[in-house]
Amino acid sequence: MITTLSIKNYALIEKLSIDFSKGFSIITGETGAGKSIILGALGLVLGKRADLSSLKNKEEKCIIEAHFEISKYNLKPFFEANDLDYEDDTIIRREILPSGKSRAFINDSPVNLQELQELSLFLIDIHSQQQTQELSDENVQFKIIDAIANNSETIVTYQGLLKQYKSEKSKLNSLIKKQAESYKEQEYNQFLLTELLEAKLKSGEQETLEADFEKLNNVEIIKESLDKSLSITSTESVGVLSNLNEIKSALQKIASFSPEYQSLQERVVSVLIEMDDITNELNDSAESLFSDPAQLELINQKLQLIYNLQKKHQVSTVEELLDIQNQLDNSVLELGNLGDEIEKLTASIQAKGGDLDILANTILTNREKAIPVLSDKLISILATLGMPNVRFDIKVTPTANYFDNGKDELQFLFAANKGTDFGLLKKVASGGEMSRIMLAVKAILAQYSKLPTLIFDEIDTGVSGEIAIRMGEIMKEMSLTMQIFAITHLPQIAAKGNAHFKVFKSTVGEDTQSELVLLSAEERIVEIAQMLSGAVVSDSALNHAKALLN
């Protein structure tokens, strides 16, 4: 339950601190006095987004702090899961800086808005007039039924499995699309792969083939050059070798005279040895050289094949062609693997679908058991609220579709009077009837929920007199197990509270401020009398107020 609310520099509130007690608390005040400001400040503590316009003084920061007594609500797992310090008296603080930035703290630990919103779901339910209209929404109706059906844990399990199921379905669709596209390319890829494989390419062979081609294609020129070179080196008396031998002999005679001549003689010997090797290699090359038109044609054909493949695949080396060959080979293998993956994924989806069906059937069974309970309780409570002939026609129908909360569709029909046809709530229920139905729903849900605090914001719209008294009694009954706040304009409801707070505006100099105060017993009598008769309080109004309070 909320025990303290402090507000500083928010809207029309300069500074406010108020303590709350358990039980049934009433908040009243003139229209525009600031009741919505109190709720707005509380909403910020619970994680709603803020803006700079919320600041009363734009030069100072806004601080809203709320204390919650949570020792009885088993919230330690939430604090541990979010790495937060747990305290029985938990403090939530929200700050809005003049720059427009917002900060939030739980027990002085900084948190983001999502964490704040998640925690608020365990702390307070603020019921507004807008929420009454949401009662016509199928999702809200399902939540009511599922709360009574105790479907919460099953639905969480179902939703986790459904998320996996949808993810795998999406992946399967992508794989099937990819497979279809791959099949279109497979025939052409297979052709390209076969073409490359038949070429029997080898790394480095292009350079070898090109060298052999040049040699065979120029046999005559090569032979002429080799013969000429051999003639120059080997001709007797005038050949290079003969002349080098003469130089060697001449220098050998003077080599012992000086290191200089010795060095020259050694260098000539080296040249002579090298020249001798060159002559032998020239001779070998000349003897091995022969014309082979058939081999030349084979080499030319292989080179043309390589050149054509390089042009087709827009590359310049055999190594790149071999890489493409490997890629094509892998793509063909990948298509086979794709089929295996599709088969496995299909089996997994079918298995998850079976598990989802089991969970959905459990959810449906629980709902079918809960619907008569909900209907009977609603009829019983609404009878005391002036709707003795109310009827509900609530049915769940299983479908083949997987929805976020099961596989069911819901028909939630309502008839207020005997002899009238059933219809959708939003079409056949009046504003006053919707308010009473929502109160009945909240009263029923309070029996199945461990929520500490519930705030009714003008749930009494469209009702008065004895019905208002009974609504107040129902809220008072609910306050026996949870903290209840009612923001109301009806004295019949205001009189049922254990504590009564008044919101009012005051003028300080040129400044208007909203304030919230706890009324004493005497002040409460006057407040309820004013709600009955207006600003001028008559004796009869005072007596009526005392009677309501008693």
Side-chain angles (χ1 to χ4, degrees), residues 23 81 188 211 301 370 386 449 496:
Y188 181 61
Q301 289 176 359
S449 169
K496 299 298 180 182

Side-chain angles (χ1 to χ4, degrees), residues 48-63:
K48 288 188 177 180
R49 297 201 171 275
D51 57 69
L52 200 56
S53 62
S54 303
L55 275 63
K56 179 176 176 62
N57 183 343
K58 306 298 188 215
E59 304 299 320
E60 298 180 5
K61 69 179 178 180
C62 162
I63 303 175

